[in-house]
Amino acid sequence: MYLAVAARGFRRYASYRAATAAGVFTNTVFGLILVYTYLALWDERPDLGGYDQAQAVTYVWLGQCLFAALALQGGGVEFELMERIRTGEIAVDLYRPADLQLWWLASDLGRAAFQLLGRGVVPFLVGGLFFPTALPSRFDAWAWFAVALALAALVSFGIRYLVALSVFWLLDGTGVNQAMMICGVFFSGMVLPLNAFPGGFGDVARALPWAAQLQVPADVLMGETGVAGACAFQAMWAVVLLAAGRLVQSAATRRVVVQGG
């Protein structure tokens, strides 16, 4: 059943062809802007964050590849879930003979798979064709990257699911959405690699769950971290966030309150 839900999520987003094309164009343009910004920055600081220029360029294009797939700025199934909680349609979901969290996780993984293939691959290929990159040639590096990417998707969903469930109490998700967008972009490393953050602030940023979404997969791909420790870090946050989501879901669904009654 959950495979069918994931497939439905994939097909659903595949139907928005114009939006997908616009997303590919947007990610490519933003990638170009960031690449030239990074090149200028790395000219001044050649070893910033422990990366050389080729690694910095690779980091940029990987970020553009994963931006929509991991919903780093939001925009996954959590928006629909928030609206269903607000209107009370969540009651229909609770009556389904399926686990609420697994249902939405499956749907989000289907969405993520399409966004990766439909929106993320082209900008990544553009970057690889026109700029020097630091992509590995070994199969095992790509295999570990796939594992890190799957764990990143779980962490991403875990964060956004908790944010969505907050609407059971807040009844409106506008403010919490804005906070999620800011934290997602900044602490995932989309603006600047977290390895470049200084001192204790950098240590804290790299210990937060958002680091598991972009910084860790990037370091795994480029061989800048031990894969066992990196994947263990991601798995730890995935378990913590999904377990927290389970607990919050249990508390929230004991008494459903929606606007209007």
Side-chain angles (χ1 to χ4, degrees), residues 87-148:
T87 61
E89 292 178 85
I90 190 66
V92 177
D93 299 335
L94 294 173
Y95 271 114
R96 290 193 182 109
D99 182 84
L100 183 69
Q101 188 183 48
L102 290 178
W103 177 281
W104 287 98
L105 173 59
S107 181
D108 193 62
L109 291 178
R111 175 207 62 81
F114 173 76
Q115 294 287 25
L116 179 65
L117 297 174
R119 181 170 169 173
V121 169
V122 172
F124 193 69
L125 291 177
V126 168
L129 287 172
F130 295 101
F131 295 92
T133 55
L135 296 176
S137 57
R138 303 188 324 274
F139 172 79
D140 63 321
W142 287 99
W144 278 112
F145 172 68
V147 173

Side-chain angles (χ1 to χ4, degrees), residues 155-247:
V155 172
S156 172
F157 172 79
I159 294 171
R160 291 178 288 110
Y161 190 68
L162 282 170
V163 169
L165 291 180
S166 70
V167 179
F168 273 110
W169 290 274
L170 299 176
L171 301 181
D172 184 275
T174 303
V176 74
N177 266 334
Q178 293 296 323
M180 178 182 66
M181 291 167 63
I182 294 170
C183 290
V185 170
F186 186 79
F187 286 110
S188 68
M190 273 297 298
V191 177
L192 190 69
L194 301 182
N195 293 344
F197 287 12
F201 179 69
D203 293 336
V204 171
R206 288 186 291 271
L208 294 175
W210 291 281
Q213 295 179 268
L214 175 57
Q215 184 66 62
V216 172
D219 283 341
V220 168
L221 181 65
M222 294 186 289
E224 288 295 310
T225 186
V227 292
C231 291
F233 171 78
Q234 290 179 295
M236 179 272 293
W237 272 118
V239 170
V240 168
L241 291 167
L242 293 175
R246 177 72 60 179
L247 291 173

Side-chain angles (χ1 to χ4, degrees), residues 12-48:
R12 176 183 177 184
Y13 281 85
S15 64
Y16 300 115
R17 296 173 184 173
T20 300
V24 169
F25 176 78
T26 301
N27 284 124
T28 304
V29 170
F30 271 97
L32 291 171
I33 294 171
L34 280 174
V35 160
Y36 285 110
T37 302
Y38 274 33
L39 289 175
L41 182 59
W42 259 260
D43 277 338
E44 297 295 324
R45 299 282 301 276
D47 196 36
L48 182 62

